[in-house]
Amino acid sequence: MQLVKYLRGASLTLLATLLLSGCDTVVMSPSGDVALQQRDLLVWATVLMLLVIVPVIVLTLWFAWRYRESNTEATYKPEWTHSTVLELVIWSVPLMIIIALGAMTWVSTHKLDPYRPLDRIDAQTPVPVGLEPLTVEVVALDWKWLFIYPEQGIATVNELAAPVDHPIRFKITASTMMNSFFIPALAGQIYAMAGMETKLHGVINEPGVYKGFSANYSGAGYSQMKFDFHGLSEADFDAWVAKAKASGNALDRETYLELEAPSIDDPVTLYSQVDPTLYHAIFNRCVAPGQTCMEDMMYHSGMGQHGGHHGEADTGHEGHGKHEGHAGHDQHGGQHD
């Protein structure tokens, strides 16, 4: 009976090992500097915790063997209650590990803040003075990804590209459901939420094709919500942009509303032209004609409260405030009721 249990356990272990051997270990061998620093943080945190875990496991096995019933040579002290040396070890070692973990976490939390612009390309190369990051506006749709390149005037569906060793600034939002934007080789995952904008800064250091996907369940098409991220040389990236510009497709608001409809496993689509106000309208949830933008609703709500508190005093400032509040919005092509 014991032999059967042993063989069953060994078989399950072997099966798990074989299955895991086919897993992609990209998180532990990334190609982007930010993801590499995150990997190092995971490794060091694990090593620090193993400083307690491994000795405890070893000592547990050793004590079980040393003080087994059949070992009559083991010291037996049923009245033993205290050891100063043992107390110092038990309390000081975990305390030092907690202090080290806390310090490392504090520094890394600020250093790897996804909103913080990059200050280096890799461990040996700072960001060159005057090098502006490539801006990509990311929209999580149901169930596909839209990438808008405002500086290049193009857009893509389910395909992303960037030059190697060039900082990237992602501005991320969603059309409806919450998703999570994740390219394991590049950087950590960042949530995409409707009516909100999150940011992520990253850099890819090695040419290649990397997997990106949604790491947050969002319904029926979640498992097909994937895309390829191409790390390209500057020349190849320029050729990729030229290919998109030659596609002849235009992404305006009407086209976007059709694209926004839920669909699964959409093919890669390139757009040679993009409405420059589109991302701002998506973010403010006012793409369709007649919709009031969120910033307008907040503006009018704030003006109403201001007027309620200050009464007649508001009339002297209303024109100036309204002019400032709407000038920025009109610049992006917002619509008003």
Side-chain angles (χ1 to χ4, degrees):
M1 188 67 177
Q2 292 295 331
L3 180 60
V4 173
K5 289 183 178 179
Y6 174 79
L7 291 175
R8 183 173 61 186
S11 299
L12 290 174
T13 302
L14 180 60
L15 178 61
T17 303
L18 290 173
L19 291 173
L20 289 174
S21 66
C23 291
D24 188 356
T25 58
V26 64
V27 172
M28 301 307 294
S29 58
S31 301
D33 184 62
V34 174
L36 191 64
Q37 294 179 72
Q38 293 172 336
R39 189 277 310 271
D40 292 344
L41 180 61
L42 287 173
V43 170
W44 278 110
T46 302
V47 168
L48 286 172
M49 290 184 285
L50 286 176
L51 292 177
V52 168
I53 295 171
V54 171
V56 167
I57 293 174
V58 171
L59 287 173
T60 299
L61 296 174
W62 183 80
F63 273 107
W65 174 255
R66 170 69 177 169
Y67 297 102
R68 68 192 186 279
E69 185 179 3
S70 60
N71 185 13
T72 57
E73 296 181 359
T75 303
Y76 179 59
K77 293 183 178 181
E79 303 300 326
W80 180 87
T81 59
H82 180 74
S83 169
T84 302
V85 174
L86 190 59
E87 289 286 341
L88 286 173
V89 172
I90 289 174
W91 290 105
S92 63
V93 174
L95 181 61
M96 288 187 291
I97 291 174
I98 290 171
I99 292 173
L101 279 172
M104 186 171 60
T105 302
W106 173 267
V107 172
S108 299
T109 298
H110 292 83
K111 185 178 180 181
L112 298 176
D113 180 0
Y115 281 64
R116 181 174 178 262
L118 301 185
D119 56 10
R120 72 183 212 183
I121 300 298
D122 54 42
Q124 292 78 37
T125 312
V127 174
V129 177
L131 179 62
E132 290 296 322
L134 171 70
T135 299
V136 182
E137 297 167 340
V138 181
V139 183
L141 303 172
D142 299 329
W143 288 273
K144 48 194 170 284
W145 292 96
L146 172 64
F147 304 106
I148 300 173
Y149 291 75
E151 296 157 357
Q152 288 73 26
I154 63 170
T156 65
V157 171
N158 289 341
E159 184 173 86
L160 178 64
V164 170
D165 293 336
H166 192 116
I168 313 166
R169 175 175 55 215
F170 295 101
K171 300 164 65 177
I172 306 167
T173 191
S175 59
T176 54
M177 221 171 297
M178 184 171 73
N179 279 279
S180 180
F181 177 70
F182 191 22
I183 306 173
L186 180 74
Q189 61 171 326
I190 300 294
Y191 284 108
M193 295 167 281
M196 300 180 68
E197 182 185 85
T198 51
K199 292 185 175 67
L200 174 66
H201 289 81
V203 61
I204 196 71
N205 300 116
E206 298 177 14
V209 181
Y210 307 96
K211 296 299 180 184
F213 52 87
S214 173
N216 187 80
Y217 181 74
S218 57
Y222 158 75
S223 58
Q224 280 80 42
M225 198 169 172
K226 303 174 182 178
F227 61 91
D228 285 338
F229 169 52
H230 299 264
L232 306 171
S233 66
E234 290 285 353
D236 288 341
F237 178 72
D238 291 341
W240 181 82
V241 172
K243 177 184 174 183
K245 287 184 175 294
S247 66
N249 300 320
L251 183 62
D252 53 19
R253 297 194 180 203
E254 184 178 350
T255 304
Y256 169 80
L257 291 174
E258 296 174 0
L259 180 66
E260 188 183 37
S263 57
I264 298 175
D265 202 18
D266 284 57
V268 172
T269 307
L270 306 178
Y271 295 94
S272 60
Q273 300 177 45
V274 184
D275 181 343
T277 68
L278 181 59
Y279 176 79
H280 183 266
I282 296 170
F283 166 49
N284 275 280
R285 302 179 64 79
C286 56
V287 178
Q291 286 183 317
T292 301
C293 292
M294 289 195 312
E295 64 181 10
D296 285 339
M297 287 189 285
M298 290 186 287
Y299 169 78
H300 289 302
S301 175
M303 288 301 294
Q305 293 177 1
H306 181 70
H309 286 299
H310 296 278
E312 294 298 328
D314 183 54
T315 57
H317 299 279
E318 182 177 359
H320 178 67
K322 186 171 183 180
H323 174 73
E324 287 186 346
H326 284 264
H329 174 65
D330 291 338
Q331 184 178 1
H332 292 279
Q335 300 184 29
H336 308 275
D337 282 344

